[in-house]
Each structure stands twice: as C-alpha cells, then as structure tokens.
C-alpha cells in the first residue's frame, strides 16, 4: 500500500509540474497584449508618457524579462503562494481574487456533483428493476443529458425565476443584502444558490442514472448473480451485491466529473451571473489577464489532481481487485 | 426413489418459435445415485440440469412433473422453487470460476448467503471449515477475495458452499469442462466423496466427457436431441450399450492402450435435427444405420432389461 501510494504521489507530482508549466505557457501564446489593454484605459496623446507607463507596467508584471526568467519567477513566487497581480482588477493580487471566488464555485459544484451522483445511482438502480420506470423516466434522463446546458439553465431561470417568481435568477445574493452571519442573508444566499444548483444537478442526474441503469443490468446478469439466484438468495442480497459492483465504474466517472467540474460550471455561472471561478475565467480571457487565467487554471489543475487522488484511494478500499494488482496474488 | 422426473418438456422461447430443448424426459434417480448426464451440445442435458433448479427467463415449462423425495418440485414456478433451492436442490455451476462475488471476502459472502436463507451461520461454520479442509483448503480462504484464489480453489470453494446445507439433489453442470485434465478427475472424485459422506443424497453430473463420468457415476443417461436415448449403469453404457446412438458415441471415443494404426476413429455422420420444428418419430432416424419403417413412430423410453432403459425399437 505504501509503495502504491508513493508511486501515485510521484505520478501526481509530475502531472502537476507539466500541467502548471503548460498553464504558464498558454496565456503567453494567446493573441493580444495585456499591457496595451491597460494602457488604452488611461490613454493619452502623449507618446513619451505612454512609453513610460508601458515600461512601468512591464516591470510591475515582470514582462520585461526574458521568457525563461519569467518562467522561473513564476515557480518561485508560486512557492510563496503569490500568483501575481491581476491585470483586469489591477492592483488586486490574483490569489485574493481567486479565494473570493472559490467558495461560490465549491458551494455550487460539490453538492451538485455529489448529490446528483448519489441520487442518480440510486434512481438508476431502482429504475432498472421496474419496466414502467425504465420506459418513462429514463428517456427523460436521456433528454436531460442531451439538453444543451445553457438552454436548460435559461429555461429554469425563466420558468422558476421569472414566470413563477420563486427564485432570483442572477447574482450570489440580492443587491439589498449585507453579507454577514445572519439568517436573512443566509436565506437570501440559499435562494440565489438554488437555481444554478438545480440546473447542474438535473443535467448530471440524468447521466448518472442512465449509466447506473446499464451497469446494474449487466451486473444482475453476471454469473455471481446467477449463482446466488440458483441458490435461492433473496432479491435484496443479489441487488445489494450488484449495486456495489456497478458503482465501481461510476466512481471512476465521478473522478473525471469532479475534475472537469470547474470548467463545466463556466456556463452555469455565466447564465446565472454567479461569481465563481468560471466567471473569473471568462473575464480573465476577455481582458487578456495572464495572471488571473494562470491562477484560475492552477486551481482547476489542483482540483482535478486532488479529486483523482481521492478516488484512487477510495478505489483501492472498495475494489479488492486493484489491491491484488499491487500486492500480487496469494494463490 | 430420490428424484422422479416424468415426461418433462421445456421449450426455449425464441422469435422464430419454440425450441424444443427438452421434449418428454422421464427418468428416476435412486437414493445415493450419481447419474452422469451425457450428450453432445444441444442435446438438452444442460437444459435438464437447469430445469431442476432454476429456469432462466427464456425457458418455458410445457409439460411434466418432477418429484423429489416424494414431494412435488414446482419447477415451473420460480417463486415456489425458492424454498427448495440450496436446502433441497443445489447447483455446482459450469462457471464456478466467476460464481463468487468479486468484491466480497469469501467468508462474508457465504455468511450473508447462508443467513439470507434463514439458516443460523454459527451452526454451519464448523462444518464449513471441516469441509473446506476435506477438499484441501484451509480456513484462510474465507478471508480472501475470489481473485486471490486459483481456478481450482474457486471450484472447490463453490462445491463446498453449494452442498453446505446437505441438499437432497446436487446438479453438477459441466463442472470439469473449464479445468485441465489433471484436476478434472480430482474434482469429480471430490464430488463422489461428498455423496459417500452423505453431504448430498443424489447427484446429476452433466457432462460431455463420457470417459470421465463413467469413473464416478453409478448410472449414465445419454441424451439426444432433447430426449433421453439410453440410461443404464455406467458399465453397461460403456460395455454393452443398446441404443445405436450410444454405440456410435462410444465407438467414436479413443480407448486407452489401443493404437489406431490401421483404423481411423469413427465419427457419427450427419448432424442432430434442429429442435425448432423437429421431425416426428425417432430423432436419430436420419443418422441411424438400423433405421426402418417403424422409426417414423417415436419409440418409448422403455426398460429393456432390469435397470436399463432405451428409446429404440431395436433395443430389445
């Protein structure tokens, strides 16, 4: 187990290094010049003062140095937890901006993904045993998964937000609210949170349910199930075994999903004007904000790696077959 | 009589119609009898084995009754069969290698299975250990996952688990097919040993390997195209078969110690009839060298000598 973990950690460290390097590189390959964007904000006709401003900004952001030096600087400041200064929200530090956005993204995505996974698996397993459900609700699941996300999001915002008027459709909380640990603010927060959450939940739920339904049918026809049935084991026991084994591939799916979660929420956050990482990425792109983009991607990379690592560890616990692979067979 | 099967007919439902996999099978099994059930693929031997414990969704019981120890075995009714399974009738499946749940430790799986059948596990645990030891496995296997065992070990675990509640009838379905020759015989003998020790009362040993089955079986029933062709003691089937199919089947097997320098082994020309819409009369007629006019009529599976049944007009 220790050797397995050590190997895994090494692989994750390597992945981290490569991903962060690429992450540093990509914004610099993008067309457009962030300094010029900044200069245009304070544009004046004076050539000499423009030149001085350019030199000042380039020095501030470290863009006057050669690329390899920039790359090294990037790693050293990363080690200090410094991700640079935002171009778009100059002069706020990137770390600060990101940290204010991350709670929103996590509060939205973690519950949506985990709850839809649990509920989708339960429902898929349940639907597989009922012909009626299989014929009515699963097609609905197919429709849900196939729906373009922004369309569903807009539909929800229009239906539940504007027509029914139950939920607000934009922002993290109302304009009139003052952030604080008091009941009115928290309920306001939750009501703003609900629609983006529900839209994410619905789309993912359909996918998980379909996957589980197919997996469980496969497991129920597996030979260990047939054997138990031949020995008269009650349906409940057979189902329990089948469910447990059918969940394993779903777990892998969850790891992948948890990784892409941040990117996936981009649309949600735009549709519902939710101030999470997805929104930041969009703004950073629009404003050629290298540092903010790097920082946001860094969070995504770290998120993917952590999620995968956790699932790797869970997998070892729940599936004995992965354990024998690292220990060798006893027979 | 331990098992009494009377005129059993089981069809497979397909889109093109019923496949008559079992079409009027009658035989009985004495207490303590091991019956080898032989025949080629498609002869209905596996269907017969399955029919006695659990029919799958495509199988349809058409006619016939089964009695086990004097009580009727409701083979056609899946729900009513449940109380009999494991307790009265048990199965060692063909797929013993994959019959155990891969993500449960074997001991836990057995415990959950036994409890789910309303049996106190603590009561059978010592017996389980004793029987595992009997087949050469130690207590350790209960703490292992199936993937940690070799194929032969899994096979033995399944044999012990299936017979743990001392069923009256054990169906061993092609248990040796997936094993290599050196372990085949050990497995067959272990099963015969289970009978000798009274773990099971009688046994149906489904196989296509006559050479193996005649070593452990008391009687052999040969099936052809969904019907029994001949049933007699193992010796009689091998040495003095009466049904022309059995004779040709035996003569197509190689014999130990005999060299076939000048003579090629004889196969049986032709192929079995399709069972979707089988021709009337004896189903072996088209391939039979002895066929005559009367074979257009189906011969009864009649006792031609004490303990020797054959379905052939010329068997007397």
């Amino acid at each position: 187990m220790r050797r397995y973990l050590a190997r895994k950690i090494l692989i994750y460290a390597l992945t981290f290094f490569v991903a962060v390097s690429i992450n540093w590189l990509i914004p610099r390959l993008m067309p457009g010049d962030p300094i010029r964007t900044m200069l245009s904000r304070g544009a004046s006709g004076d050539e000499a003062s423009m030149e001085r401003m350019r030199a000042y900004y380039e020095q501030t952001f470290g863009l006057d140095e050669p690329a390899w030096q920039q790359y090294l600087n990037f790693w050293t400041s990363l080690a200090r937890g410094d991700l640079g200064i935002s171009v778009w929200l100059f002069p706020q530090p990137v770390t600060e901006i990101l940290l204010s956005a991350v709670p929103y993204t996590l509060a939205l995505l973690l519950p949506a993904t985990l709850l839809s996974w649990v509920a989708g698996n339960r429902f898929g397993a349940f639907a597989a045993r009922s012909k009626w459900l299989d014929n009515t609700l699963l097609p609905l699941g197919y429709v849900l998964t196939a729906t373009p996300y922004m369309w569903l999001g807009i539909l929800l915002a229009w239906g539940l937000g504007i027509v029914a008027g139950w939920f607000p459709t934009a922002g993290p909380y109302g304009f009139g609210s003052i952030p604080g640990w008091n009941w009115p603010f928290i309920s306001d927060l939750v009501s703003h949170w609900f629609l983006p959450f529900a839209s994410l939940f619905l789309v993912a739920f359909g996918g998980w349910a379909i996957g589980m339904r197919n997996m469980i049918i496969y497991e129920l026809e597996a030979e260990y199930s047939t054997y138990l049935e031949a020995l008269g084991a009650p349906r409940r026991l057979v189902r329990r075994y089948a469910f447990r084994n059918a969940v394993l591939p779903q777990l892998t799916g969850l790891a992948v999903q948890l990784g892409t979660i941040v990117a996936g929420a981009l649309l949600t956050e735009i549709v519902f004007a939710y101030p999470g990482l997805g929104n930041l990425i969009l703004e950073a792109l629009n404003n050629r904000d290298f540092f903010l983009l790097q920082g946001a991607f860094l969070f995504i990379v770290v998120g993917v790696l952590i999620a995968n690592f956790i699932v790797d560890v869970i997998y070892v616990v729940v599936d004995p077959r992965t354990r024998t692979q690292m220990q060798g067979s006893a027979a | 009589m331990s098992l009494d099967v009377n005129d059993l007919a089981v069809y497979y439902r397909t889109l093109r119609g019923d496949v008559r996999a079992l079409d009027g099978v009658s035989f009985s099994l004495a207490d303590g009898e091991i019956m080898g059930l032989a025949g080629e693929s498609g002869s209905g031997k596996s269907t017969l084995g399955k029919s006695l414990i659990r029919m799958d969704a495509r199988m349809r019981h058409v006619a016939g009754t089964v009695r086990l120890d004097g009580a009727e075995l409701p083979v056609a009714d899946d729900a009513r069969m449940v109380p009999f399974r494991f307790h009265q009738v048990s199965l060692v499946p063909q797929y013993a290698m994959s019959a155990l749940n891969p993500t449960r430790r074997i001991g836990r799986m057995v415990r959950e299975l036994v409890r789910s059948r309303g049996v106190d596990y603590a009561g059978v645990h010592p017996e389980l250990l004793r029987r595992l030891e009997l087949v050469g496995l130690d207590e350790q296997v209960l703490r292992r996952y199936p993937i940690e065992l070799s194929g032969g070990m899994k096979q033995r675990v399944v044999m012990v688990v299936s017979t743990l509640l001392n069923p009256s009838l054990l169906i061993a379905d092609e248990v040796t097919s997936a094993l290599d020759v050196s372990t085949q015989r050990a497995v067959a003998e272990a099963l015969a040993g289970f009978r000798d020790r009274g773990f099971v009362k009688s046994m149906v040993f489904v196989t296509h390997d006559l050479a193996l089955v005649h070593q452990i079986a008391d009687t052999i029933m040969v099936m052809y195209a969904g019907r029994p062709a001949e049933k007699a003691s193992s010796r009689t089937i091998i040495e003095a078969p009466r049904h022309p199919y059995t004779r040709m089947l035996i003569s197509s097997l190689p014999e130990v110690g005999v060299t076939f320098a000048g003579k090629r082994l004889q196969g049986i020309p032709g192929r079995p009839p399709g069972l979707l819409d089988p021709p009337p009369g004896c189903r072996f007629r088209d391939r039979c060298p002895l066929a005559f006019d009367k074979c257009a009529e189906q011969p009864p599976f009649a006792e031609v000598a004490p303990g020797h049944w054959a379905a052939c007009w010329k068997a007397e």
Side-chain angles (χ1 to χ4, degrees):
Chain A
M1 184 77 186
R2 190 171 302 158
R3 251 188 61 205
Y4 172 80
L5 277 183
R7 209 176 59 210
K8 278 278 170 202
I9 287 171
L10 183 74
I11 290 172
Y12 280 105
L14 262 176
T15 316
F16 177 77
F17 173 75
V18 172
V20 169
S21 300
I22 292 174
N23 177 13
W24 173 84
L25 190 65
I26 284 179
R28 284 163 175 78
L29 295 177
M30 279 194 328
D33 179 353
I35 303 292
R36 191 172 301 156
T37 318
M38 288 193 81
L39 288 178
S40 65
R41 283 190 213 154
S44 70
D46 183 7
E47 277 293 318
S49 69
M50 286 293 274
E51 206 39 61
R52 283 228 302 285
M53 271 170 81
R54 164 174 285 275
Y56 169 71
Y57 278 137
E58 280 190 342
Q59 203 207 337
T60 311
F61 292 113
L63 292 176
D64 54 345
E65 291 176 74
W68 64 268
Q69 186 68 48
Q70 287 184 36
Y71 179 67
L72 285 185
N73 290 348
F74 168 71
W75 275 106
T76 40
S77 48
L78 187 65
R80 280 184 274 118
D82 175 11
L83 292 171
I85 293 164
S86 167
V87 175
W88 170 49
L89 292 173
F90 186 79
Q92 275 197 63
V94 167
T95 320
E96 210 171 275
I97 302 173
L98 287 174
L99 284 180
S100 70
V102 163
Y104 288 110
T105 295
L106 287 185
L108 202 57
L109 287 165
L110 271 185
T113 310
L114 293 178
L115 287 178
S116 69
W117 189 78
V118 172
N121 280 335
R122 293 263 155 219
F123 178 75
F126 180 71
R129 82 177 90 163
S130 145
K131 206 156 218 158
W132 184 82
L133 278 179
D134 211 22
N135 289 335
T136 54
L137 283 175
L138 274 173
L140 196 73
Y142 283 108
V143 172
L144 275 180
T145 348
T147 311
Y149 173 76
M150 55 280 200
W151 187 75
L152 184 83
I154 292 168
L155 207 65
L156 274 180
W158 177 74
L160 297 181
I162 292 165
V163 176
W166 294 341
F167 299 101
T169 56
Y173 44 81
F175 288 115
S177 296
I178 300 147
W181 288 111
N182 52 52
W183 182 240
F185 177 72
I186 289 171
S187 73
D188 189 40
L189 209 59
V190 169
S191 75
H192 277 82
W193 167 85
F194 184 80
L195 275 185
F197 162 79
S199 64
L200 280 171
F201 177 86
L202 274 180
V203 169
F205 176 82
W208 293 127
I210 290 162
M212 188 59 179
R213 178 228 171 229
N214 297 341
M215 281 312 301
I216 203 130
I217 285 176
Y218 175 81
E219 292 294 336
L220 284 174
E221 278 164 15
E223 285 171 340
Y224 66 86
S225 300
T226 319
Y227 178 60
L228 286 173
E229 280 171 351
L231 295 188
R235 196 134 257 234
R236 203 159 26 88
L237 184 73
V238 182
R239 294 252 170 212
R240 207 170 75 215
Y241 283 6
F243 183 81
R244 155 93 193 232
N245 293 340
V247 151
L248 297 176
Q250 294 285 89
L251 205 58
T252 312
L254 180 67
V256 174
Q257 198 70 173
L258 276 178
T260 54
I261 215 171
V262 183
L266 197 93
L267 283 172
T268 321
E269 290 177 5
I270 293 166
V271 169
F272 294 97
Y274 215 69
L277 273 183
N279 232 338
L280 275 190
I281 290 174
L282 183 72
E283 293 294 350
L285 276 171
N286 284 342
N287 292 288
R288 307 267 179 279
D289 190 340
F290 288 1
F291 305 96
L292 189 55
L293 205 55
Q294 270 171 25
F297 283 151
L298 185 75
F299 267 77
I300 296 175
V301 168
V302 171
V304 172
L305 293 180
I306 290 178
N308 275 285
F309 185 73
I310 290 174
V311 171
D312 262 347
V313 172
I314 292 180
Y315 222 96
V316 172
V317 175
V318 294
D319 191 348
R321 286 168 289 189
T322 50
R323 257 173 283 169
T324 39
Q325 273 166 27
M326 59 208 206
Q327 290 165 344
S329 174
Chain B
M1 283 292 150
S2 172
L3 178 74
D4 222 336
V5 176
N6 191 18
D7 199 30
L8 186 66
V10 172
Y11 296 172
Y12 281 97
R13 276 180 295 196
T14 70
L15 290 175
R16 287 184 296 156
D18 285 337
V19 173
R20 303 177 173 204
L22 280 188
D23 210 359
V25 175
S26 303
F27 68 94
S28 49
L29 222 57
D31 287 354
E33 178 176 341
I34 296 182
M35 181 182 86
L37 184 57
E40 56 197 292
S41 301
S43 63
K45 57 185 192 309
S46 279
T47 309
L48 177 56
K50 274 192 198 166
S51 299
L52 295 176
I53 181 157
R54 182 172 179 266
M55 296 200 191
D56 66 39
R58 301 162 302 151
M59 288 158 81
R60 190 163 60 89
H61 174 258
V62 176
T65 53
V66 179
R67 296 183 76 77
L68 182 66
D69 299 325
E72 202 201 322
L73 202 60
V75 287
D77 189 332
D78 190 54
R80 275 176 57 212
M81 266 304 282
V82 170
F84 292 92
R85 295 185 185 133
F86 204 13
H87 291 276
Q88 303 294 321
V89 189
S90 195
L91 170 80
V92 179
Q94 185 171 4
Y95 48 80
M97 306 299 150
S98 49
L100 302 167
N101 182 358
T103 58
R104 273 278 192 279
R105 288 181 202 276
I106 288 165
R108 181 158 171 213
M109 196 217 94
V110 176
R111 197 168 62 234
E112 288 174 340
L113 173 65
V114 165
R115 281 193 184 139
S116 79
R117 297 311 320 272
V119 176
D120 173 36
Y121 179 73
V124 296
H125 183 73
E127 189 60 21
L128 175 65
L129 295 186
R130 202 168 72 81
R131 292 186 186 183
L132 284 174
E133 205 185 305
L134 201 66
V135 295
L137 298 171
D138 63 13
E139 200 185 338
Q140 284 287 325
V141 293
L142 294 180
R143 282 195 286 277
R144 298 215 179 280
Y145 287 99
I147 193 173
E148 297 175 280
L149 305 188
S150 70
M153 290 164 92
K154 277 187 260 194
Q155 177 96 38
R156 281 176 278 162
V157 167
V158 169
M159 276 161 40
V160 168
V161 170
S162 289
T163 55
L164 192 57
L165 303 184
N166 296 339
S168 176
L169 174 67
L170 180 71
I171 295 146
D173 186 7
E174 304 259 14
V175 285
T176 56
S177 305
L179 302 173
D180 62 278
V181 185
S182 55
T183 43
Q184 280 182 356
R185 181 157 177 174
V187 164
E189 276 170 357
L191 282 174
F194 281 14
R195 186 268 321 260
D196 298 341
R197 289 166 197 269
F199 300 170
V200 298
K201 209 198 276 176
S202 51
M203 194 186 304
V204 174
F205 194 98
V206 182
T207 184
H208 53 250
D209 190 347
L210 275 171
L212 176 80
V213 78
H214 100 272
Q215 297 177 30
I216 65 144
D218 305 309
T219 58
I220 292 177
M221 183 160 89
V222 177
M223 290 193 62
Y224 184 77
R227 288 185 183 144
E230 186 165 14
K231 183 192 176 202
S233 70
S234 307
R235 237 189 123 101
T236 313
I237 287 286
I238 302 296
E239 288 170 5
R242 297 213 188 179
H243 195 286
Y245 174 66
T246 320
R247 279 190 220 160
M248 293 172 87
L249 193 67
I250 303 291
S251 71
S252 65
L253 297 171
E255 262 177 86
V256 176
V258 177
T259 45
F260 293 91
K263 172 180 148 224
R264 280 177 68 99
L265 275 174
Q266 291 290 308
I268 308 177
R271 52 175 66 225
L275 296 179
L276 201 58
D277 190 15
C282 176
R283 289 183 179 172
F284 190 56
R285 192 166 32 137
D286 290 345
R287 300 167 81 184
C288 182
L290 309 177
F292 67 122
D293 294 345
K294 210 180 174 189
C295 296
E297 202 181 314
Q298 188 193 323
F301 190 55
E303 192 160 12
V304 292
H308 191 162
W309 289 263
C312 180
W313 294 116
K314 296 216 166 170
E316 277 87 11

